Structures are given as structure tokens and as C-alpha cells.
Amino acid sequence: MATAANSMALAAQARRSYVEGLLRGLPAVVQAVDHGARILLSQVADPSTMMRRRDMVEDLAKFQSAWLAGAMSALRAALAGGGMSAARPADLPSPSGRGGLGGGLTLVDNDTIESEILSSRLALAMMDRASWEFTDMRSRMTMLEGREELDANDVLRPHVLARIVANAWRQAGLSHDAWRALQTVLHEEFAHFAEEAYHEINHWLIEQRVLPEIDLRPFIRRSRNAAWSSSGTSSPSGFVQSGVPGARSEVHDETRLMTRAGGLVRSADHAEAVLGRLNRLIGRQLPEFANTQAARPASQALRAAITDAQQGITKRLAPAGDDVRGVGVQVSTPMLLEELHQRKQQLKQAASTPVERATIEIVALLFQSILTEERIPAAVRVWFARLQMPVLRVAIGEPDFFATVDHPARRLIDRMGACVMGFDATMRHAGDMVEKEIKRVVQVVEAYPDTGRRVFQTVLTEFEKFLEHYFKNENEASRKGVSLAQQVEQRETLAIQYTIELRKMLNEVPVQEGVREFLFHVWADVLAMTAVKHGLQSEETKAMKRAAADLIWSASAKVSREERAEVIRRLPPLLKTLRDGMHSAGLPVAKQDEHIQKLNNSLAAAFTAKTAAIPHDRLEDLMARLETLEELLPDAEDVEIDESLVLDLSGHESSELEVVGEGGSMPTPAMLSWARELQVGSWFMLDYRNRNEAVQLAWQGLRKQLSLFVSPQGRGILFQQNRLAAFLQAGLLVPAQDESLTVRATRSALAKLDVDPNRLLN
């Protein structure tokens, strides 16, 4: 551990190494952006998009040298200034819109505002990828420097690098339109670059024994472009990069794997950590905000203002007629944001306490982030906007909204967001149905303004019931798959129930071992399959139960000539029934032959009286119990469908249903727990059978022991719980969202409050 004498020097050296690493790596990132722009140009698109991309590539080729030079000049200025005082050059806009040495207010032009918006999005993209590395680095630096937090404009913060990059872009003569056309590439390249930068600084600080115990990612391999080395030059940690083409995807895959290995931390624990940081930041400005136990009823003036704002927003953002899709055309995102900004200012004027003003500001920041989430369809965005006032009313009256991750208002937003953020133009019909339900949910919340969290809990329950019904009955992509998955679950559950009861029934009956194994491992499944196809009380199911009784009787010792003659008479129809049953259950002919041969051996043993005889009264009792077997079955809720009872579900495979029987890595208890926490409607990326595609969790069985994912094309992929956990563990199944919508929005709010905490009080 660094001593007090050299801790400040270590911090200064780390900050200097960070900036020097950025300077070494930036040329390679600019080259990667240029390469990404050319790849975009090569892709098929509509004529207007192609023209924009062509202009973008030409401008980038002309001005990228100036862009690189400007960014490197600003970074050198930051380094010369000690890494903090020069972190935001004078020509960069103030995030709060204030400028001038005297702090007086000045007008801010649209170009500056647009640059600030674009740089903020880039900073969020960098934090999305680098949040863990940044958090570790920040903990180490604040410990070395003996402070609670990094300065708002410390060069180590991602928004400082983002602002430098965006400002240099504009100064070089590149347009905002070109940036937006290339935004995906810019976000991807700089997010990886930031992650690598923070990783190397963490690695170097660990070597100096600065909080080595918090390092969670020591094995992540580094970058495609050797961004932190030049011609083999080592990074601050002495780590020389490979520079192997394609290593960037390797970094992504390995980072993804390690993130998934900490999947539970990335969900509930991560959300709590983000909320905790928000409360600490606000608590430094408003200590009374930290009291989340006592309810804080809004002042009368604020309640009236919220009601007026909600009515105004409802009227302003009301769709034409009942066509939800029309909303996305009529109301653009800038219009939404402007409307809500005006309402926020009016609400702050009506607020009577600093806590009320702070709550209004935070909720506004949360919804600003939600409404600028590009993956939310435009038609749905309006309904999220209309939730702002009901959520504000709850947040003011129930301060635990900011302290707990399971508040129903927060969970409702997350559930709705998780469902709609995977829809695209090819899934319009599916999207429309979910949008209509979201519309209904929001209108119910608006209709009961004074019920607090109760209305949110009610509509959350209703929304989850809707999803269950929707995927089962309404969604064309999932309906067939859910039906097949339910049949699989019913069959496997019945097979286990039959096996359990047959074991009890034959526990003290002297049945030949070969027959016993056949009944447990084969015939129980035949009974289940027949019951699923024809019904528990059907004649077909009764015939299969009679076959089981005949087999038990035939395999018991036959000491008289009459008994042997009876066996010979019954044997041909019995064997035909056994074959028919195995065929209906999907057993191949070779397996049928194998089982019949073993049964013939058992029957031969019965003829030689090498097996025990079953007393007549015991046999009669056994027959009666088989007739009423369904009445004795254990409850389905108590049956676990896992590998210990059902070894192979591959017999259920079809052209419409894939059964995942292999792959992944041995899951930990944490992964099994995470697999049980997945929620219907959420989107994932699945890497399976040489495909990497988006899938949606459409159905979960009893006790979530079977889970069905459906592709947009309607193909079902069925997992048992252990296999699902194994895929999560190996990073072969990755949530489309690393964190929930409200957690992402909270981090966005934190980034803005870090820069300008005074906005809480204004």
C-alpha cells in the first residue's frame, strides 16, 4: 500500500500515465473510426443514407488529421495543467450552460448545445463499457488523494475525454450530421479505448499495491490496435500488447464472459450500488434527503402544480384517436424533452423545500435519459414521457423510490423497457400489441394519481399477466413454440410423476430387474406421452397401463403349464403394444429392438422359474392401483425437471423447437440463482449452433425449470435450468441490456450531477 508520503506522487504519476496512454493510442482509434466509416459505406442502405455516408467518409478523409491533432493538443494541455485544472480547456462549453470567468450567464448557441449532447452520449457509451474499471480506478485514486470523489472535471473522468474528442471534431471542420451518421462506430471504438485505458491504470496501481483486493478483471486481454503501446512500447504497467488483428472482439468476448460470471453483481447488487452513490452525492448537498423512512407529503402548491402538469402533458402528448403508432410521428423526441423541461421549471417554482426541488430535478434527469434511449421505439416513448408526473408524485411522497431497487414504479419502467427495446421494423405487429398494453397501463396510472405505489404494483402484476397471455396466445413468433414447450413440460412432469409412483408401487413387489428398469426408464415416458396426446383418462392411456400390468404378470415366475400357455397367448399383442408405445414416444427402431430383446430375456427367466412369483392378491392389488394411477400422482409443483431425473430432452427436438442439450460451462450456485431471476419479455443475444442472434424469453415453466427463448423468425430454443445457467456462465447467453433502464438512467443523472451538483438546488 502506498504511504502517506508518496500517495499524492503516485496519483499524479497515474494521471500522467493515463493521459500519455491516451496520446499513444488515439491515432489507432482514429484509424479504426475511419475503417468503420468505410465499412458503413459498403453496406446496403436507402439512397439518402448512402449519400450521407459517402459525404461522411469524404469529410473524415479530409479532416481526420486535424481532428486527431486537435484532440491530442487538448490532451497535452490537460497533462501540462496537471490533469485537473486544464481538464476542460477554455474553449469547451460549460455543461451547465454558464460561461465567463465571472460566472455570469451568457447565451449558448445551438452548435454548442448540440456538441454537448453528442459528447454526453459518447461519455455514457464509454461508461457503459468501462464502468467497472472506472469505479475501481476511482476508488484507488480517491484513496491515494484522501478525498471522497474525483473533481468534476478531472481528466480521468470519461466525460472529459468525450468532450475533448467532440470539441476537436467540430473544430476540425467535421459536422454534427457526420458524427450522428458515425455515432455507433464512435461509441464502440471509444468505449473499448476507455475500458483499455482504465484497465491499464488499474493494473499499474495494483502493482504499486494500491487496493489490490478490489481488482476483479486481471485476465482481460487487451486491444486490437495495441492502443497502449507503440512498436512494442510497454504501458504504465509494463504490459506489452499483442496488436493482433481481431483481438478487439476477443477482448469483448472475454469481458462479456467475466461480466456474466458476475451476473448477479451486474443486476441487483449493481443497481443498489448506483442508487447508493446517487444518495451519497445528493446527501452532500442536502443531508435531509437521506431520510428515506418517513413519508414526505408534497406541499399543496406542488401537488396542484403536478396535477396541472400532468393534465397539460396528457393533452399535449395525446395521440390522434386510438392509433398508438401515430404518436411517434406527431411528437418528436426534442418536442418531448422541451415539453418536460418547461414543466420542470414550473414545478420547481411551485416547490416549497430544497428536497422537493432536488426530487423534481432528479426525476427529470431520469426521464431525460429514458426518452433519449434510442432502442425505445418512438411510438412508446410518449407513454414513458407521460409516466414522469405519476413517478414524480410517488418519488416525492415515498422517498424510498431512490433507495430501493424493487420499488414497483421502478420495476414497471424496467419491465416495459426490457420488452420493447428489442423490437425492430420486422416485428411491427408484435410491437403494436405491446405498445397498446403499455398505453393502457400508463392511462390506468394516470387515472389514480393519489394511490402511490399501489397503482404501480397493480399494473405491474397486470402487465406480467399480459406478457404470459401474449406470448402464449397472441404473438405469432412465440405461440407455436410456447405450445410445444408446454407439451414438453407436461410430458416430462408426467413421466417423472409416473416414475415416482411406479417406484413406490413396485418397491416391495418381486419384479424382475430388467422389467423394473424398462417400466421406470421407458414405459413411464410412454404413459406420459400418451396422456399428453390423448388425455389422462383416454382409452389409449388405459391400454398402456394394462400393458404395464401384463408385462409385470408375464415376467413373474410361471410354474404351471397353463400359466405358460397363457403367457404365450398374450405375448404377441403385448409386444405389439409395447412397440406401438415406444414408437409414439419417438424411440428409434434400433432402441426398440434393444428393449424388446432385454424383455425377452426377462420372460425366458420367468419360464424357467428363475424369478420370484407374485402372489395373486398382490397382483390384483397392483392391477387396481395401475388403473387409478393418475389419482396417486404427486403434485406437479413438487416435481423438479432436472438432469438427475430427465437425462435427455433431445427426443422433443423438431423443426420448430430446438432443445439445448450441450454447451456452456459448469454453473455456480450464483448462476443458477440468476437463471431463475430472468424475466419473460427480456431480450438476449444467444450464441448457439453457429448462430449469434437476438432472442426473447417467451415462457418459463413450473418453478422455472424449463425456459423457452424465441427468435424473431419464430424458432423456439428450449433450455433446462442447469443448461441455461451454464450458457449464462459461459457468456453464450448475454442480456441485451447489461443493466435495467432505470439504473442506466440513474447513472446518466449521476454523470450530469457530478459535473454540476448545484442544479439540485436551483
Side-chain angles (χ1 to χ4, degrees):
M1 174 66 70
T3 64
N6 67 7
S7 62
M8 294 300 291
L10 274 176
Q13 187 177 354
R15 198 172 271 107
R16 183 168 61 253
S17 296
Y18 169 76
V19 176
E20 289 173 347
L22 293 179
L23 290 169
R24 285 195 301 273
L26 202 54
V29 178
V30 171
Q31 289 177 7
V33 170
D34 180 72
H35 180 65
R38 296 179 188 278
I39 291 176
L40 273 179
L41 181 60
S42 68
Q43 295 174 351
V44 178
D46 60 85
S48 61
T49 301
M50 290 295 292
M51 185 174 298
R52 286 196 300 272
R53 290 176 177 174
R54 189 177 299 110
D55 293 342
M56 169 194 67
V57 169
E58 291 175 356
D59 289 347
L60 194 58
K62 187 186 302 183
F63 298 118
Q64 67 173 277
S65 296
W67 175 39
L68 174 61
M72 295 183 74
S73 175
L75 284 169
R76 290 191 184 100
L79 182 58
M84 287 182 286
S85 60
R88 183 171 67 227
D91 57 354
L92 288 178
S94 167
S96 61
R98 292 188 288 270
L101 294 175
L105 295 177
T106 62
L107 292 175
V108 181
D109 61 85
N110 290 336
D111 192 75
T112 300
I113 294 173
E114 184 68 13
S115 290
E116 186 66 20
I117 291 172
L118 295 178
S119 70
S120 296
R121 288 177 177 170
L122 177 59
L124 286 174
M126 293 183 342
M127 277 301 291
D128 280 346
R129 171 147 319 265
S131 59
W132 286 98
E133 295 283 2
F134 175 77
T135 299
D136 289 358
M137 180 276 298
R138 180 174 59 192
S139 298
R140 293 185 171 102
M141 293 297 289
T142 54
M143 189 279 296
L144 284 175
E145 295 177 329
R147 62 171 76 193
E148 288 188 0
E149 188 55 276
L150 296 175
D151 286 349
N153 294 302
D154 195 314
V155 71
L156 293 172
R157 288 189 176 276
H159 74 260
V160 174
L161 173 60
R163 194 176 289 122
I164 286 174
V165 169
N167 189 66
W169 175 281
R170 197 71 184 96
Q171 289 181 338
L174 290 159
S175 68
H176 289 147
D177 287 340
W179 178 289
R180 282 189 289 270
L182 198 54
Q183 182 168 272
T184 301
V185 176
L186 287 163
H187 285 188
E188 180 74 9
E189 293 300 332
F190 278 98
H192 281 289
F193 185 46
E195 182 187 35
E196 292 157 10
Y198 291 134
H199 177 85
E200 294 309 320
I201 295 306
N202 275 317
H203 193 98
W204 183 78
L205 287 168
I206 289 169
E207 288 188 338
Q208 312 307 313
R209 306 301 301 158
V210 181
L211 298 182
E213 66 277 4
I214 68 171
D215 182 58
L216 300 176
R217 290 151 300 280
F219 304 115
I220 299 178
R221 293 192 290 273
R222 291 294 103 195
S223 81
R224 172 180 68 192
N225 295 311
W228 282 82
S229 64
S230 177
S231 302
T233 305
S234 64
S235 68
S237 65
F239 188 78
V240 180
Q241 310 308 324
S242 66
V244 177
R248 176 66 56 83
S249 61
E250 186 177 58
V251 174
H252 171 70
D253 290 343
E254 193 153 329
T255 304
R256 181 182 68 178
L257 186 153
M258 299 189 73
T259 302
R260 297 282 66 78
L264 292 176
V265 177
R266 289 291 284 170
S267 53
D269 291 349
H270 174 58
E272 289 180 359
V274 172
L275 286 179
R277 185 167 168 244
L278 175 69
N279 281 278
R280 288 193 298 274
L281 186 150
I282 301 171
R284 290 196 288 271
Q285 303 292 322
L286 291 169
E288 60 269 33
F289 189 88
N291 181 13
T292 60
Q293 301 301 315
R296 293 193 288 254
S299 61
Q300 184 174 354
L302 181 55
R303 288 200 302 273
I306 292 175
T307 299
D308 290 343
Q310 181 172 325
Q311 291 172 349
I313 290 172
T314 300
K315 183 177 180 180
R316 178 83 164 82
L317 305 183
D322 292 327
D323 185 6
V324 179
R325 291 170 293 179
V327 176
V329 177
Q330 295 175 3
V331 184
S332 65
T333 299
M335 290 173 62
L336 284 175
L337 295 174
E338 177 60 26
E339 175 73 20
L340 295 178
H341 176 73
Q342 295 298 331
R343 300 294 178 182
K344 180 187 78 171
Q345 299 304 111
Q346 297 168 9
L347 291 170
K348 281 194 168 185
Q349 292 174 7
S352 59
T353 67
V355 170
E356 287 182 346
R357 284 191 288 274
T359 303
I360 293 166
E361 180 67 34
I362 299 164
V363 171
L365 289 174
L366 294 179
F367 276 86
Q368 180 181 334
S369 173
I370 290 170
L371 297 178
T372 53
E373 171 55 65
E374 295 176 349
R375 290 176 295 171
I376 295 178
V380 179
R381 212 167 280 154
V382 168
W383 299 108
F384 277 96
R386 284 174 55 166
L387 274 180
Q388 179 169 337
M389 291 305 130
V391 168
L392 174 60
R393 188 180 283 109
V394 168
I396 289 175
E398 302 176 12
D400 65 329
F401 174 80
F402 295 111
T404 58
V405 298
D406 58 353
H407 192 285
R410 188 182 299 277
R411 289 172 56 209
L412 177 66
I413 294 170
D414 288 338
R415 292 291 281 125
M416 295 193 305
C419 291
V420 301
M421 284 165 63
F423 288 131
D424 58 25
T426 65
M427 304 175 65
R428 185 67 261 165
H429 174 68
D432 285 347
M433 299 193 67
V434 176
E435 288 164 19
K436 288 176 182 177
E437 176 63 13
I438 289 175
K439 169 188 174 181
R440 187 196 70 81
V441 163
V442 173
Q443 290 176 332
V444 170
V445 171
E446 289 176 328
Y448 296 92
D450 300 320
T451 54
R453 72 171 61 211
R454 283 182 296 150
V455 68
F456 282 98
Q457 183 61 59
T458 298
V459 294
L460 173 62
T461 302
E462 291 175 354
F463 186 70
E464 289 176 337
K465 289 180 179 177
F466 158 79
L467 289 177
E468 181 180 351
H469 172 81
Y470 164 70
F471 286 115
K472 180 180 178 182
N473 301 301
E474 303 293 341
N475 185 7
E476 290 296 329
S478 63
R479 186 167 57 186
K480 182 68 172 179
V482 171
S483 176
L484 291 172
Q486 288 179 318
Q487 290 178 32
V488 170
E489 179 181 55
Q490 185 182 5
R491 174 178 168 180
E492 295 303 331
T493 302
L494 273 173
I496 293 169
Q497 290 172 303
Y498 280 129
T499 302
I500 291 171
E501 197 53 39
L502 283 170
R503 287 184 188 277
K504 291 181 190 175
M505 196 178 297
L506 302 180
N507 190 39
E508 297 179 359
V509 177
V511 178
Q512 208 274 343
E513 191 61 31
V515 173
R516 186 186 298 268
E517 290 302 306
F518 177 81
L519 290 172
F520 294 162
H521 296 149
V522 178
W523 207 246
D525 185 54
V526 170
L527 286 170
M529 186 65 184
T530 308
V532 169
K533 282 185 176 180
H534 304 286
L536 289 172
Q537 301 301 327
S538 66
E539 287 301 319
E540 291 82 357
T541 303
K542 291 178 181 178
M544 295 303 163
K545 289 190 289 185
R546 283 194 296 271
D550 284 346
L551 181 60
I552 293 170
W553 176 82
S554 298
S556 63
K558 299 295 177 286
V559 294
S560 69
R561 180 175 299 177
E562 292 77 9
E563 287 180 331
R564 292 173 185 170
E566 183 65 15
V567 170
I568 294 172
R569 185 184 68 79
R570 292 187 184 184
L571 191 55
L574 174 60
L575 291 178
K576 183 181 184 305
T577 302
L578 295 179
R579 278 196 180 274
D580 289 345
M582 289 188 285
H583 177 75
S584 70
L587 265 69
V589 173
K591 292 296 291 184
Q592 295 177 32
D593 291 342
E594 181 182 332
H595 289 306
I596 292 295
Q597 181 59 48
K598 290 180 180 179
L599 290 176
N600 279 330
N601 295 336
S602 298
L603 295 176
F607 266 63
T608 57
K610 292 182 178 178
T611 59
I614 302 177
H616 181 74
D617 57 344
R618 176 69 62 87
L619 195 59
E620 289 293 327
D621 179 61
L622 190 62
M623 300 289 188
R625 292 179 68 183
L626 277 170
E627 285 292 330
T628 59
L629 186 59
E630 286 75 21
E631 300 174 9
L632 306 173
L633 296 181
D635 290 338
E637 289 79 2
D638 297 330
V639 175
E640 292 191 17
I641 302 176
D642 59 29
E643 284 78 1
S644 66
L645 291 173
V646 179
L647 297 177
D648 184 13
L649 292 180
S650 61
H652 302 289
E653 183 104 8
S654 68
S655 61
E656 297 169 313
L657 183 68
E658 297 181 11
V659 178
V660 181
E662 58 183 8
S665 56
M666 181 63 69
T668 63
M671 287 296 107
L672 287 167
S673 177
W674 187 25
R676 288 189 288 269
E677 290 180 4
L678 302 184
Q679 293 182 310
V680 167
S682 301
W683 286 87
F684 298 80
M685 289 302 297
L686 173 63
D687 188 350
Y688 181 58
R689 292 184 177 174
N690 299 317
R691 295 188 304 265
N692 196 298
E693 61 184 342
V695 294
Q696 191 173 24
L697 179 55
W699 173 85
Q700 290 174 310
L702 292 170
R703 300 174 65 178
K704 300 187 176 181
Q705 288 162 0
L706 291 178
S707 298
L708 177 75
F709 295 80
V710 178
S711 73
Q713 295 75 34
R715 188 179 60 261
I717 304 100
L718 186 66
F719 284 86
Q720 290 181 256
Q721 190 178 94
N722 279 6
R723 186 64 57 189
L724 178 60
F727 267 57
L728 291 168
Q729 173 99 11
L732 299 174
L733 183 70
V734 182
Q737 296 173 266
D738 279 346
E739 56 193 356
S740 69
L741 193 57
T742 57
V743 171
R744 181 186 293 267
T746 303
R747 283 202 301 102
S748 175
L750 273 168
K752 293 179 173 65
L753 293 173
D754 270 343
V755 173
D756 185 16
N758 290 328
R759 65 193 301 165
L760 287 168
L761 306 176
N762 296 333

